[in-house]
Amino acid sequence: MGISLVKGQNGPLAASNVVVSVRSIAPADVSALLVTEAGRVRTDADFVFFNQPQAPGVELRSGTPAALAVSAAQIPADIAQIRVVITLDESGATFGQFAPPVATVADGTGNALYEYVIEGLDSESVVIALELYRRNSEWKVRAVGQGYAGGFAALVTDHGVSVDDEPAPPATAEVRTVPGEAELSFEKRAQLDLRKREVAKVLINKNAFGIRARVVLVIDKTLSMSRQYSKQVVHRVVQRMIPVATQLDEDGTLEAYLYALSFAKLPDITVEHAEAWAQTFLHLTGTHQGIDYAGIGGRNDELPIMRDIIASLRPGDAPTLVLFFTDGGFAKKREIAALMRDASRLPAFWQFVGLGRANYGLLRTLDEMSDRVVDNAGFFALDDIDQVDDAQLYARLLGEFPDWLRAAGRAGILR
């Protein structure tokens, strides 16, 4: 029977030749995606399925159950993972209607090494069953059991395969990958990939794809934000801003600040450490990593943090996108308006986002401010960010930034 795996568990593969098979009561097809560290195929030739049963080191064997023969020595050096996919044949069928499928990994002589009963499936019709992956010079197997809500065509196109009813995107529209993504689990990589594609769609539609910009995240730390912190809304804000940085920032990182009466400059947020970063730094009180959170204050004054960011800007610099999350209450309206007018000469666009149901006052009138070189700010309110899907969020978050880029270029602010 081999060693039983549970979802997320991994184990070593000592055998150089293995056979991966999947037993399912419902008729199902087995396929494989050979992907690089970026999680994408190099070409369509790295997709193994019934119409293309071979790729370097991987062969689809017909029969019941269908199986994939893998020869580790023949896998190209730039292939980091082999993802084994099962797809139900019958339209409208879901795995939840049947007994769980069972994935088996055997050595070349047929001895079972691992077995994974893929439990917990419901409405899925496409599931990534297992992942064979490199760790240094060795190969390992991981039980994935991850359904793909977008269906089979979405799964393969998200991995870089072109399908007949959707032309491949031009090379200039390749979704960008940053090094830390390789350290994420499969589930987190898949979610990040989907979000990056939504960010890329907005930039492509606004003719701004490929632009590089410094990305700065500012989060309100006033006591009126208590619910947003206790419910970990701000944690989810961080996760949803990371895909923006991967597509815009040269290093794929987010510069981060918390502010109230004063502010704290925090370590940059990287893709692979985002969750640990949020747990470490998103607090309202206490002392964390040497930062006195009570000392930052409990009510808001935007001027110090805004002045600090403005002081870092120089005419002719690369563009900066400031993502400013707050529950409002801007008291020094005249001073802030004057500051934004002065800042309109500098290479930064300020995207203010309202969190929670609050009085946003000045923020709602930013687009109407006069006497600016260019319109350098936007605002929208998210009463409940968890109720806004990624496509809507990124469309609103990035909708005005490309327009500012063009206006700033015409005004000589950007070179």
Side-chain angles (χ1 to χ4, degrees), residues 291-324:
I291 300 170
D292 178 8
Y293 280 66
I296 300 173
R299 57 187 178 84
N300 59 320
D301 184 352
E302 287 70 29
L303 292 173
I305 176 60
M306 294 177 71
R307 285 172 178 153
D308 189 78
I309 294 172
I310 288 170
S312 72
L313 303 171
R314 298 288 183 275
D317 282 354
T320 291
L321 172 61
V322 182
L323 305 173
F324 202 113

Side-chain angles (χ1 to χ4, degrees), residues 138-156:
E138 305 298 326
W139 281 89
K140 303 184 75 173
V141 60
R142 179 185 292 119
V144 178
Q146 179 68 37
Y148 216 81
F152 186 72
L155 180 143
V156 296

Side-chain angles (χ1 to χ4, degrees), residues 79-97:
I79 294 298
Q81 300 111 17
I82 301 167
R83 295 175 183 170
V84 179
V85 181
I86 51 174
T87 308
L88 290 176
D89 288 346
E90 184 180 346
S91 177
T94 65
F95 281 104
Q97 298 170 337

Side-chain angles (χ1 to χ4, degrees), residues 240-303:
R240 296 178 78 175
M241 294 307 102
I242 284 172
V244 177
T246 67
Q247 300 309 293
L248 289 176
D249 187 87
E250 193 66 45
D251 298 325
T253 59
L254 277 169
E255 292 184 41
Y257 292 83
L258 292 184
Y259 89 96
L261 279 173
S262 63
F263 63 90
K265 173 70 170 72
L266 303 175
D268 291 353
I269 307 169
T270 61
V271 168
E272 68 272 31
H273 298 133
E275 285 191 7
W277 185 97
Q279 295 300 325
T280 302
F281 293 106
L282 292 180
H283 306 282
L284 292 176
T285 59
T287 299
H288 307 275
Q289 297 296 305
I291 300 170
D292 178 8
Y293 280 66
I296 300 173
R299 57 187 178 84
N300 59 320
D301 184 352
E302 287 70 29
L303 292 173

